Amino acid sequence: MRFSSHYKMEGDDIIDYVFEHSNFFDANENLVYEEIGDGNINYVYRIFEKGTKKSLILKQADVQTRVRPDGYLNPDRSAREAGVLKLYNECAPDFSPKVIYADPVMAAIIMEDIGSYSNLRKELMAGKIFYGLEKLIAGFIVDTSLPSTDLGLGYQKKCQAAFKFYNPDLCKITQDLVFTHPYKGVRGRNIFLPENADWLKKKFYEDSKLIAKVAALKEKFNNYPQGLIHGDLHSGSIFVKIENEKTKIKIIDPEFAFYGPIAYDLGNVLAHFIFAEGYAKYSFIFDDENKKASFLLWIENAKKDLLKFFSIFAKEFLIKNIKDPMYKNEIFIDDYIEKIKIDAVSFCGTELNRRIIGSAKTPEITGIKQIENRILLERELAEAGCAMILNPEEILRGIKA
Ligand SMILES: Nc1ncnc2c1ncn2[C@@H]1O[C@H](COP(=O)(O)OP(=O)(O)OP(=O)(O)O)[C@@H](O)[C@H]1O
Ligand SMILES: [Mg+2]
């Protein structure tokens, strides 16, 4: 029977599949599709009605990744992603595309089209300001992660959930790309700007104190099932729009989600604010200096306020929801939140570093066309990244000040 065992859908399959597995469209004659996925891993299509433009999204995972057809990646990642999105639909419905149908056999998800939102990375690289953005992201992290912790859910239920969202294959990608390759240069995987190669190699490969700290962060990433985290919360996973003068966001692509340290998500967001700041400083996107100054001031405040709002919302949530009498203790709660913020600074450092030296770069760095500026930006980010890993408490005090 059609669609009863996994294969990569093509052409009419895509339209027929979506028509058969949703009650959204009236007839399939007027349906067309386009591939809109620009990611590395999966296939994403928009299926829409020619006249009305009513649309849905189909995301399918294949046994290989979209850009590297030579390796195997278990398509069961799709079922996990669907499970996480459904959870977001419950605990943060305004922040996630609605799942219409999830199919573990075809490794496919039919979901709401959030086409009225734009990719946050692209918007920030165009110098756009989104007031309130950091508050929304802090709220999303608190609403989706804290309820899943020992403190929010209780230990036994948490263990069951951690088992359900066990994600060794995708975590291994993060372990390699974030916590190993940038410091060990495994099999020549790192990519350098020639002008910075020697400087970066010395900084990343030869500092055993730095490497020891990164080793501890890797160990924490692997062995601290604190709560359900998104696992890949960079600005390309955040979609944004302004409606009635208010910023709104949607979060997509939680296929790297697993039970890990909440600080990893928070640190990732912080790092990608810093990339946006770096791009604004060193590219020529602004035709006027005042606009540039306003953007830089906004992003500077957004970095601080991300952590501030995280603390406020986390404390509100924990005070209201903790049931375990041992955890109902304000000193413990403050300490729990502070530790997340310190680790977030460290994970921000590992994210900055891996995008400079690693194989998966970010357009805020590769998009700087004037070579002198890129040299400067890479060195500035590497200095910041290493300082964050080596002295997170001190850097956190600086961010708060
Ligand atoms: N629900 C949606 N509505 C509208 N567009 C979407 C939706 N989901 C994904 N997209 C589009 O498809 C692109 C790729 O989606 P996504 O990041 O989920 O794919 P991926 O293959 O897992 O990517 P990556 O390689 O980054 O992991 C997004 O950047 C976005 O432009
Ligand atoms: Mg993805």
Side-chain angles (χ1 to χ4, degrees):
M1 224 177 71
R2 204 176 176 201
F3 309 131
S4 62
S5 64
H6 182 268
Y7 66 95
K8 182 183 166 307
M9 290 186 265
E10 309 274 359
D12 284 348
D13 291 335
I14 293 165
I15 291 174
D16 294 348
Y17 182 88
V18 171
F19 183 71
E20 282 175 30
H21 294 90
S22 63
N23 293 321
F24 189 75
F25 299 111
D26 298 328
N28 70 353
E29 293 86 68
N30 290 327
L31 297 184
V32 280
Y33 79 92
E34 56 183 352
E35 187 181 2
I36 57 164
D38 52 0
N40 298 326
I41 303 189
N42 306 290
Y43 296 87
V44 183
Y45 308 98
R46 169 173 288 125
I47 296 85
F48 61 98
E49 224 162 42
K50 268 187 233 154
T52 63
K53 301 276 182 218
K54 265 175 74 171
S55 59
L56 286 178
I57 299 296
L58 173 69
K59 178 168 180 176
Q60 191 186 23
D62 196 10
V63 289
Q64 291 123 355
T65 65
R66 183 168 172 265
V67 291
R68 291 197 57 192
D70 52 340
Y72 176 82
L73 194 61
N74 195 327
D76 73 357
R77 63 189 187 275
S78 172
R80 196 175 311 100
E81 176 171 351
V84 179
L85 281 173
K86 282 182 186 168
L87 226 134
Y88 290 174
N89 287 174
E90 280 167 32
C91 54
D94 294 340
F95 294 93
S96 49
K98 196 171 171 351
V99 174
I100 308 226
Y101 185 76
D103 178 351
V105 174
M106 290 301 287
I109 307 170
I110 300 174
M111 64 182 127
E112 178 193 358
D113 186 356
I114 56 155
S116 64
Y117 289 71
S118 307
N119 182 308
L120 177 62
R121 184 187 310 289
K122 292 183 183 161
E123 295 292 288
L124 295 181
M125 286 178 74
K128 298 214 184 121
I129 291 175
F130 295 95
Y131 292 109
L133 173 71
E134 69 289 347
K135 189 173 177 185
L136 294 173
I137 299 174
F140 170 81
I141 294 175
V142 168
D143 289 351
T144 55
S145 290
L146 281 178
S148 69
T149 59
D150 281 30
L151 283 58
L153 198 59
Y155 174 71
Q156 280 167 309
K157 282 193 187 154
K158 188 205 85 164
C159 288
Q160 285 163 2
F163 183 68
K164 179 174 166 194
F165 291 112
Y166 192 53
N167 194 358
D169 293 355
L170 286 121
C171 285
K172 176 74 170 71
I173 296 177
T174 304
Q175 287 159 24
D176 290 345
L177 297 190
V178 179
F179 298 110
T180 304
H181 294 177
Y183 308 93
K184 292 287 162 189
V186 181
R187 291 195 296 283
R189 288 277 169 83
N190 291 332
I191 301 168
F192 300 95
L193 192 66
E195 292 83 347
N196 272 343
D198 290 342
W199 189 87
L200 286 169
K201 280 182 189 165
K202 190 164 172 26
K203 197 154 190 64
F204 288 6
Y205 296 174
E206 291 177 19
D207 184 343
S208 52
K209 278 198 189 137
L210 177 77
I211 294 173
K213 291 272 189 184
V214 176
L217 291 165
K218 178 175 179 171
E219 204 273 338
K220 187 154 211 177
F221 179 82
N222 294 352
N223 296 296
Y224 186 29
Q226 182 181 28
L228 182 68
I229 67 167
H230 180 284
D232 197 20
L233 199 52
H234 55 73
S235 49
S237 297
I238 303 173
F239 279 66
V240 64
K241 74 172 174 187
I242 294 178
E243 199 173 76
N244 301 326
E245 295 177 20
K246 284 219 165 87
T247 301
K248 295 178 82 178
I249 59 166
K250 298 268 185 204
I251 308 293
I252 63 163
D253 198 17
E255 66 184 325
F256 281 74
F258 76 114
Y259 260 71
I262 294 169
Y264 186 77
D265 278 355
L266 198 57
N268 226 336
V269 174
L270 194 58
H272 287 263
F273 279 179
I274 294 173
F275 289 128
E277 185 178 39
Y279 187 74
K281 255 165 88 179
Y282 287 109
S283 71
F284 297 103
I285 49 172
F286 295 96
D287 45 18
D288 129 20
E289 282 303 312
N290 289 335
K291 279 191 195 157
K292 181 171 178 173
S294 306
F295 183 85
L296 288 173
L297 180 65
W298 167 69
I299 201 103
E300 181 64 31
N301 288 330
K303 287 189 298 183
K304 278 187 197 170
D305 289 348
L306 176 75
L307 298 179
K308 185 185 91 184
F309 284 118
F310 175 79
S311 296
I312 295 172
F313 296 150
K315 190 158 180 179
E316 265 172 24
F317 174 87
L318 293 172
I319 288 191
K320 198 165 150 206
N321 291 291
I322 287 177
K323 294 195 183 63
D324 185 320
M326 269 314 283
Y327 294 143
K328 265 185 186 290
N329 173 312
E330 202 169 338
I331 301 171
F332 164 76
I333 290 173
D334 287 341
D335 190 46
Y336 180 90
I337 295 169
E338 190 65 15
K339 280 189 179 131
I340 294 178
K341 290 198 296 183
I342 293 168
D343 286 344
V345 171
S346 299
F347 285 126
C348 176
T350 52
E351 180 67 12
L352 293 180
N353 285 355
R354 73 104 159 198
R355 299 285 183 181
I356 301 162
I357 194 171
S359 52
K361 302 256 183 267
T362 186
E364 290 92 332
I365 297 176
T366 52
I368 305 260
K369 295 296 169 230
Q370 207 188 21
I371 204 73
E372 298 78 23
N373 283 0
R374 183 161 162 193
I375 294 169
L376 282 176
L377 176 61
E378 286 192 359
R379 291 188 182 206
E380 220 174 81
L381 292 175
E383 293 287 10
C386 293
M388 287 175 163
I389 295 166
L390 288 164
N391 297 307
E393 286 96 341
E394 193 187 318
I395 304 284
L396 182 61
R397 279 195 294 277
I399 295 175
K400 281 181 192 163

